[in-house]
Amino acid sequence: MEGLAIRASRPSIICSLPGLDVGSQRLPLSDGFLRLPTSSYAADKPKLVAKSASLHPISAVNVSAQASLTADFPALSETNVKEERINGDKNKPENIVWHESSICRCDRQQLLQQKGCVIWITGLSGSGKSTVACALSKALFERGKLTYTLDGDNVRHGLNRDLTFKAEDRTENIRRIGEVAKLFADVGVICIASLISPYRRDRDECRSLLPEGDFVEVFMDVPLSVCESRDPKGLYKLARAGKIKGFTGIDDPYEAPLNCEVVLKHTGDDDSCSPRQMAEHIIFYLQNKGYLEG
């Protein structure tokens, strides 16, 4: 049958459509052909139909099991994805414009009778961050205040499940949590972020996302020896055995805050170091700054 024939050198999908004749010849796996009958196309689009039935090669994407998508689509490569994360707003299209809401932050805070902020609890693994975060959330709930806790482990079950514990992924982990926490604060919710967040630069980046005073950094000042003796998840034991690499406090540094709003120091006194008492210290700070009022 006379018509246009198209040849693909490395097809990944072969399909048969009504009205298209691929001929009776069995084609090798490395070649693919598509023949368009002149009865369907020549009358309407003569310029698109070849004058002969010869085969013309076209390029095709190889997505075989041995091939990589990123080889054919460089935009999807890991390097480009990381550059996109790092560059941030530099790569944002110019036609993206912020859409203002008719309900502002002050309206939501008036409704909730509280001011939105981020309580960022940082410290070594085993320092008690999650425990204090839970105690704080409960104590504020009992006072009629709305909170939400972003726990470092919990967030890695969903939003950040694609991230590892390499330095660049830890930075991205913190960035994402900081952006989510910012949204909660804008709603008027007291957001409690509880995660190691070992690097000052990453914590400072999150602080810069919020208005002055709305980022409350809480440092769990607990010695490494105490955290390691607790070792609730058995992670220090694994790190000491070399089964976990890049573990904060063992073979990766923890950079303690220099100018945080609240320091919860371990003194060895069970009463002053109880989770509830530590939570009350944070609440005292919030009360003095007016965050528990509309």
Side-chain angles (χ1 to χ4, degrees), residues 216-290:
V216 181
E217 190 173 21
V218 178
F219 174 39
M220 300 294 298
D221 189 4
V222 182
L224 174 62
S225 58
V226 174
C227 295
E228 191 167 357
S229 67
R230 294 172 177 173
D231 202 11
K233 303 172 186 177
L235 299 179
Y236 282 103
K237 184 177 181 180
L238 293 173
R240 291 293 187 188
K243 296 181 180 180
I244 297 179
K245 300 296 183 182
F247 190 76
T248 302
I250 303 300
D251 56 354
D252 199 64
Y254 175 81
E255 299 172 356
L258 300 178
N259 297 293
C260 59
E261 284 71 18
V262 179
V263 177
L264 299 178
K265 190 173 181 63
H266 176 81
T267 62
D269 184 349
D270 291 341
D271 292 332
S272 62
C273 290
S274 71
R276 181 67 186 223
Q277 190 59 42
M278 289 184 171
E280 291 296 335
H281 283 301
I282 301 173
I283 291 174
F284 179 76
Y285 177 88
L286 294 177
Q287 285 176 330
N288 284 344
K289 297 297 181 178

Side-chain angles (χ1 to χ4, degrees), residues 1-292:
M1 178 181 293
E2 186 179 286
L4 172 65
I6 300 175
R7 173 180 178 179
S9 59
R10 295 185 299 167
S12 59
I13 300 175
I14 297 176
C15 60
S16 176
L17 299 175
L20 299 182
D21 177 19
V22 297
S24 58
Q25 181 183 3
R26 181 176 178 81
L27 304 177
L29 182 61
S30 61
D31 292 321
F33 301 87
L34 178 63
R35 187 183 297 278
L36 305 178
T38 55
S39 59
S40 300
Y41 295 89
D44 299 331
K45 299 180 177 64
K47 294 182 180 180
L48 297 180
V49 179
K51 293 182 180 180
S52 69
S54 61
L55 303 180
H56 300 274
I58 62 171
S59 62
V61 177
N62 182 359
V63 288
S64 63
Q66 294 79 13
S68 168
L69 271 176
T70 56
D72 292 306
F73 296 101
L76 297 180
S77 68
E78 182 180 359
T79 301
N80 287 352
V81 171
K82 288 180 179 178
E83 288 178 354
E84 176 69 23
R85 291 176 183 171
I86 295 171
N87 291 333
D89 288 344
K90 296 179 182 178
N91 295 329
K92 186 176 67 175
E94 295 180 357
N95 60 342
I96 294 180
V97 180
W98 185 270
H99 182 77
E100 294 293 344
S101 172
S102 58
I103 306 298
C104 69
R105 177 175 179 172
C106 58
D107 296 325
R108 294 187 288 269
Q109 292 182 153
Q110 184 63 32
L111 178 67
L112 295 172
Q113 285 299 293
Q114 63 183 50
K115 292 183 175 65
C117 64
V118 175
I119 313 297
W120 194 280
I121 305 178
T122 176
L124 292 169
S125 177
S127 61
K129 300 180 299 299
S130 296
T131 304
V132 170
C134 288
L136 176 60
S137 181
K138 183 177 180 180
L140 289 171
F141 180 81
E142 291 171 351
R143 287 169 166 79
K145 304 304 175 184
L146 183 61
T147 70
Y148 193 84
T149 302
L150 296 173
D151 182 83
D153 283 355
N154 291 356
V155 174
R156 282 185 177 271
H157 281 278
L159 177 65
N160 293 344
R161 64 183 177 184
D162 60 319
L163 301 178
T164 68
F165 286 90
K166 294 179 180 179
E168 60 270 23
D169 277 1
R170 298 187 84 162
T171 293
E172 175 63 11
N173 177 60
I174 301 305
R175 187 195 70 80
R176 292 183 191 179
I177 293 176
E179 290 286 354
V180 173
K182 172 187 173 182
L183 295 177
F184 274 110
D186 187 60
V187 171
V189 171
I190 298 173
C191 182
I192 306 167
S194 168
L195 57 163
I196 295 174
S197 45
Y199 311 129
R200 292 190 194 102
R201 180 188 62 185
D202 296 339
R203 298 193 301 266
D204 289 343
E205 285 291 331
C206 292
R207 180 186 290 273
S208 69
L209 295 173
L210 290 104
E212 182 71 25
D214 287 359
F215 186 91
V216 181
E217 190 173 21
V218 178
F219 174 39
M220 300 294 298
D221 189 4
V222 182
L224 174 62
S225 58
V226 174
C227 295
E228 191 167 357
S229 67
R230 294 172 177 173
D231 202 11
K233 303 172 186 177
L235 299 179
Y236 282 103
K237 184 177 181 180
L238 293 173
R240 291 293 187 188
K243 296 181 180 180
I244 297 179
K245 300 296 183 182
F247 190 76
T248 302
I250 303 300
D251 56 354
D252 199 64
Y254 175 81
E255 299 172 356
L258 300 178
N259 297 293
C260 59
E261 284 71 18
V262 179
V263 177
L264 299 178
K265 190 173 181 63
H266 176 81
T267 62
D269 184 349
D270 291 341
D271 292 332
S272 62
C273 290
S274 71
R276 181 67 186 223
Q277 190 59 42
M278 289 184 171
E280 291 296 335
H281 283 301
I282 301 173
I283 291 174
F284 179 76
Y285 177 88
L286 294 177
Q287 285 176 330
N288 284 344
K289 297 297 181 178
Y291 284 100
L292 303 186

